[in-house]
Protein backbone atom coordinates (compact mmCIF):
# COMPACT_ATOMS: atom_id res chain seq x y z
CA UNK A 1 0.00 0.00 0.00
CA UNK A 2 1.14 3.53 -0.79
CA UNK A 3 0.61 5.85 2.16
CA UNK A 4 0.11 9.57 2.48
CA UNK A 5 -0.74 11.60 5.55
CA UNK A 6 -4.45 10.70 5.53
CA UNK A 7 -4.96 8.07 2.83
CA UNK A 8 -3.63 4.80 1.59
CA UNK A 9 -3.76 3.70 -2.04
CA UNK A 10 -4.18 -0.05 -2.37
CA UNK A 11 -5.28 -2.62 -4.90
CA UNK A 12 -8.99 -2.78 -5.71
CA UNK A 13 -10.84 -5.36 -3.63
CA UNK A 14 -13.95 -7.15 -4.85
CA UNK A 15 -16.03 -5.67 -2.00
CA UNK A 16 -15.00 -2.12 -3.08
CA UNK A 17 -16.86 -2.48 -6.37
CA UNK A 18 -20.49 -2.28 -5.13
CA UNK A 19 -19.68 0.77 -2.97
CA UNK A 20 -17.87 2.60 -5.77
CA UNK A 21 -20.59 1.71 -8.27
CA UNK A 22 -23.41 2.90 -5.99
CA UNK A 23 -21.76 6.07 -4.71
CA UNK A 24 -19.74 7.23 -7.72
CA UNK A 25 -20.92 5.67 -10.97
CA UNK A 26 -24.67 5.11 -10.50
CA UNK A 27 -25.12 8.80 -9.69
CA UNK A 28 -26.04 10.49 -12.99
CA UNK A 29 -24.61 13.93 -12.11
CA UNK A 30 -21.34 12.64 -10.64
CA UNK A 31 -20.92 10.04 -13.39
CA UNK A 32 -21.56 12.59 -16.12
CA UNK A 33 -19.03 15.01 -14.66
CA UNK A 34 -16.35 12.35 -14.08
CA UNK A 35 -16.43 10.55 -17.41
CA UNK A 36 -15.56 11.75 -20.89
CA UNK A 37 -18.58 9.89 -22.27
CA UNK A 38 -22.33 9.97 -21.62
CA UNK A 39 -23.60 8.38 -18.42
CA UNK A 40 -25.42 5.09 -18.80
CA UNK A 41 -26.64 2.59 -16.24
CA UNK A 42 -24.46 -0.46 -15.70
CA UNK A 43 -26.14 -3.72 -14.71
CA UNK A 44 -24.96 -5.02 -11.32
CA UNK A 45 -22.51 -7.88 -11.77
CA UNK A 46 -21.33 -6.56 -15.13
CA UNK A 47 -17.57 -6.32 -15.49
CA UNK A 48 -17.54 -2.52 -15.54
CA UNK A 49 -14.07 -1.53 -16.86
CA UNK A 50 -14.06 1.59 -14.64
CA UNK A 51 -14.16 -0.66 -11.57
CA UNK A 52 -12.91 -4.13 -12.43
CA UNK A 53 -9.14 -4.13 -12.70
CA UNK A 54 -7.41 -5.71 -15.69
CA UNK A 55 -3.84 -6.21 -14.49
CA UNK A 56 -2.65 -6.87 -18.05
CA UNK A 57 -3.23 -3.25 -19.12
CA UNK A 58 0.08 -1.45 -18.58
CA UNK A 59 -1.15 2.07 -19.32
CA UNK A 60 -3.57 2.28 -16.37
CA UNK A 61 -2.97 1.73 -12.65
CA UNK A 62 -6.18 1.90 -10.61
CA UNK A 63 -6.22 2.16 -6.82
CA UNK A 64 -8.84 2.11 -4.13
CA UNK A 65 -8.39 4.94 -1.64
CA UNK A 66 -8.80 4.20 2.06
CA UNK A 67 -8.67 6.35 5.18
CA UNK A 68 -5.48 5.37 7.04
CA UNK A 69 -7.04 5.70 10.50
CA UNK A 70 -10.26 3.76 9.91
CA UNK A 71 -9.39 1.62 6.87
CA UNK A 72 -12.70 2.75 5.33
CA UNK A 73 -12.99 3.11 1.56
CA UNK A 74 -13.12 6.80 0.59
CA UNK A 75 -12.75 6.65 -3.19
CA UNK A 76 -10.75 5.69 -6.20
CA UNK A 77 -7.53 7.00 -7.77
CA UNK A 78 -5.90 6.27 -11.11
CA UNK A 79 -2.68 6.90 -12.93
CA UNK A 80 -3.77 6.55 -16.56
CA UNK A 81 -2.49 7.18 -20.06
CA UNK A 82 0.95 6.09 -18.87
CA UNK A 83 3.41 6.71 -21.70
CA UNK A 84 6.75 5.05 -20.97
CA UNK A 85 8.42 6.64 -24.01
CA UNK A 86 7.59 10.23 -23.07
CA UNK A 87 7.58 9.31 -19.36
CA UNK A 88 4.24 10.97 -18.69
CA UNK A 89 0.82 10.08 -17.30
CA UNK A 90 -2.48 11.54 -16.18
CA UNK A 91 -4.00 11.61 -12.70
CA UNK A 92 -7.63 10.93 -11.89
CA UNK A 93 -9.54 10.51 -8.66
CA UNK A 94 -13.05 10.21 -7.35
CA UNK A 95 -14.07 10.61 -3.73
CA UNK A 96 -17.27 9.27 -2.24
CA UNK A 97 -19.70 12.17 -1.64
CA UNK A 98 -19.45 11.83 2.15
CA UNK A 99 -15.64 12.10 1.96
CA UNK A 100 -15.35 15.32 -0.02
CA UNK A 101 -14.04 18.52 1.54
CA UNK A 102 -11.91 16.73 4.13
CA UNK A 103 -8.47 17.04 2.54
CA UNK A 104 -8.42 13.56 1.05
CA UNK A 105 -8.10 14.86 -2.52
CA UNK A 106 -4.92 16.81 -1.82
CA UNK A 107 -3.39 13.77 -0.13
CA UNK A 108 -4.43 11.43 -2.97
CA UNK A 109 -2.77 13.72 -5.53
CA UNK A 110 0.39 13.81 -3.38
CA UNK A 111 0.54 10.02 -3.16
CA UNK A 112 -0.07 9.65 -6.91
CA UNK A 113 2.77 12.12 -7.55
CA UNK A 114 5.08 10.02 -5.39
CA UNK A 115 4.00 6.89 -7.24
CA UNK A 116 4.40 8.50 -10.66
CA UNK A 117 7.70 10.28 -10.09
CA UNK A 118 9.49 7.94 -7.65
CA UNK A 119 8.08 4.47 -8.27
CA UNK A 120 7.43 4.77 -12.02
CA UNK A 121 10.21 7.24 -12.89
CA UNK A 122 7.92 9.55 -14.85
CA UNK A 123 8.91 13.09 -15.82
CA UNK A 124 5.48 14.74 -16.20
CA UNK A 125 2.04 14.32 -14.66
CA UNK A 126 -1.07 15.99 -15.99
CA UNK A 127 -4.59 16.60 -14.69
CA UNK A 128 -7.61 17.55 -16.76
CA UNK A 129 -10.69 18.69 -14.84
CA UNK A 130 -13.82 20.74 -15.33
CA UNK A 131 -13.23 24.44 -14.66
CA UNK A 132 -15.85 24.42 -11.89
CA UNK A 133 -14.31 21.44 -10.05
CA UNK A 134 -12.83 23.62 -7.34
CA UNK A 135 -11.88 20.66 -5.13
CA UNK A 136 -9.73 19.05 -7.80
CA UNK A 137 -8.19 22.37 -8.82
CA UNK A 138 -7.28 23.06 -5.18
CA UNK A 139 -5.86 19.54 -4.69
CA UNK A 140 -3.72 19.90 -7.83
CA UNK A 141 -2.46 23.39 -7.06
CA UNK A 142 -1.74 22.47 -3.42
CA UNK A 143 0.64 19.85 -4.84
CA UNK A 144 2.42 22.27 -7.18
CA UNK A 145 0.50 21.67 -10.41
CA UNK A 146 0.46 24.68 -12.72
CA UNK A 147 -2.51 25.70 -14.86
CA UNK A 148 -1.27 25.32 -18.40
CA UNK A 149 -4.41 26.06 -20.33
CA UNK A 150 -8.15 25.99 -20.71
CA UNK A 151 -9.99 23.99 -23.32
CA UNK A 152 -12.98 26.24 -23.90
CA UNK A 153 -16.40 24.55 -24.10
CA UNK A 154 -14.75 21.17 -24.62
CA UNK A 155 -16.84 18.97 -22.30
CA UNK A 156 -20.51 18.20 -22.90
CA UNK A 157 -21.98 17.69 -19.42
CA UNK A 158 -25.69 17.33 -18.73
CA UNK A 159 -26.91 19.58 -21.50
CA UNK A 160 -24.19 22.20 -21.62
CA UNK A 161 -20.62 22.67 -22.75
CA UNK A 162 -18.13 23.34 -19.95
CA UNK A 163 -14.50 24.46 -19.99
CA UNK A 164 -11.75 22.06 -18.95
CA UNK A 165 -8.54 23.12 -17.22
CA UNK A 166 -5.24 21.38 -17.96
CA UNK A 167 -2.67 21.33 -15.15
CA UNK A 168 0.85 19.93 -15.30
CA UNK A 169 3.67 19.12 -12.93
CA UNK A 170 7.23 18.14 -13.82
CA UNK A 171 9.31 15.80 -11.70
CA UNK A 172 11.93 18.46 -11.01
CA UNK A 173 9.29 20.93 -9.83
CA UNK A 174 7.88 18.26 -7.51
CA UNK A 175 11.36 17.46 -6.14
CA UNK A 176 12.11 21.15 -5.60
CA UNK A 177 8.98 21.44 -3.42
CA UNK A 178 10.00 18.54 -1.16
Amino acid sequence: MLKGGKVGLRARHEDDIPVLRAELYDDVVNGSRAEARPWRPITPGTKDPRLVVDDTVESVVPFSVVDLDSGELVGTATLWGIDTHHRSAHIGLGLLPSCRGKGYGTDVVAVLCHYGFVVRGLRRLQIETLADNHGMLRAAENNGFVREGVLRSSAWVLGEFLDEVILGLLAQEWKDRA
Side-chain angles (χ1 to χ4, degrees):
M1 178 185 306
L2 297 169
K3 293 182 180 179
K6 299 179 83 152
V7 300
L9 274 54
R10 63 160 170 75
R12 178 79 32 86
H13 295 173
E14 192 66 34
D15 57 347
D16 296 343
I17 292 173
V19 174
L20 294 172
R21 178 178 286 121
E23 294 201 39
L24 290 179
Y25 298 111
D26 281 348
D27 178 276
V28 178
V29 173
N30 186 64
S32 296
R33 292 178 57 80
E35 295 291 321
R37 58 182 175 246
W39 179 87
R40 65 186 184 100
I42 302 295
T43 305
T46 301
K47 299 298 183 193
D48 185 342
R50 297 170 301 178
L51 297 170
V52 177
V53 176
D54 180 353
D55 287 324
T56 64
V57 178
E58 294 288 327
S59 62
V60 178
V61 181
F63 297 96
S64 286
V65 181
V66 296
D67 179 274
L68 283 177
D69 292 334
S70 69
E72 293 292 317
L73 181 69
V74 298
T76 181
T78 309
L79 199 66
W80 63 276
I82 299 169
D83 182 330
T84 56
H85 178 71
H86 295 292
R87 293 178 53 200
S88 63
H90 303 259
I91 286 178
L93 68 98
L95 297 175
L96 303 182
S98 63
C99 300
R100 296 176 187 156
K102 299 180 179 181
Y104 290 126
T106 296
D107 204 33
V108 169
V109 172
V111 177
L112 285 173
C113 287
H114 173 81
Y115 178 71
F117 293 135
V118 176
V119 177
R120 299 296 299 247
L122 299 176
R123 180 165 170 38
R124 174 186 167 77
L125 294 175
Q126 182 169 309
I127 294 173
E128 299 88 1
T129 191
L130 296 175
D132 65 354
N133 187 346
H134 303 293
M136 186 59 175
L137 291 169
R138 189 171 40 257
E141 290 171 339
N142 285 344
N143 280 287
F145 279 80
V146 175
R147 291 184 192 215
E148 296 180 335
V150 174
L151 300 174
R152 298 176 303 139
S153 293
S154 65
W156 177 253
V157 180
L158 298 172
E160 66 179 321
F161 284 102
L162 299 176
D163 293 349
E164 288 182 283
V165 177
I166 298 174
L167 302 107
L169 180 64
L170 301 178
Q172 190 59 52
E173 295 167 339
W174 180 76
K175 287 176 187 172
D176 291 345
R177 288 176 50 93

